[in-house]
Amino acid sequence: MRVAEIAGDVVGFSALLPQSAGVWEVDGLFVEPQHWGVGIGRALMIDALDLARRDDVRVLEVTGNPNAEGFYSKLGFVGTGTVQTQFGSGIRMRCPVTPKL
């Protein structure tokens, strides 16, 4: 779990869960709506990728809101299908964790 703060106020978080050898799930990513579009979600996901690299993870996976597909695609995630969640239809995506050059 990572938390993003501005002036001591929590404005977002990310949560990662190990799934199997070399695979982690992005179990949660949230940014307060009034802070959307300023790079907080991106910073949390870059941090997640850095943590994954450090632990020799090969792939990050996520079930996201279809409206977030573009966000994840810009970070290197690729759609692998759709799934039903308690909130409706979600998009399954995965991102190879490549070594930092």
Side-chain angles (χ1 to χ4, degrees), residues 9-90:
D9 293 328
V10 174
V11 297
F13 69 85
S14 64
L16 302 171
L17 294 176
Q19 295 300 301
S20 61
V23 179
W24 283 0
E25 179 80 14
V26 178
D27 188 55
L29 178 65
F30 175 79
V31 175
E32 289 287 352
Q34 66 267 32
H35 295 286
W36 287 356
V38 298
I40 294 167
R42 179 177 173 75
L44 286 165
M45 288 307 301
I46 288 171
D47 177 66
L49 286 162
D50 286 344
L51 288 170
R53 275 186 204 97
R54 182 195 72 198
D55 283 4
D56 295 322
V57 172
R58 295 183 322 271
V59 175
L60 284 184
E61 296 183 336
V62 67
T63 298
N65 179 314
N67 295 328
E69 183 176 5
F71 167 79
Y72 287 110
S73 292
K74 288 178 187 174
L75 292 165
F77 284 79
V78 175
T80 60
T82 58
V83 294
Q84 284 304 118
T85 74
Q86 63 182 352
F87 306 108
S89 184

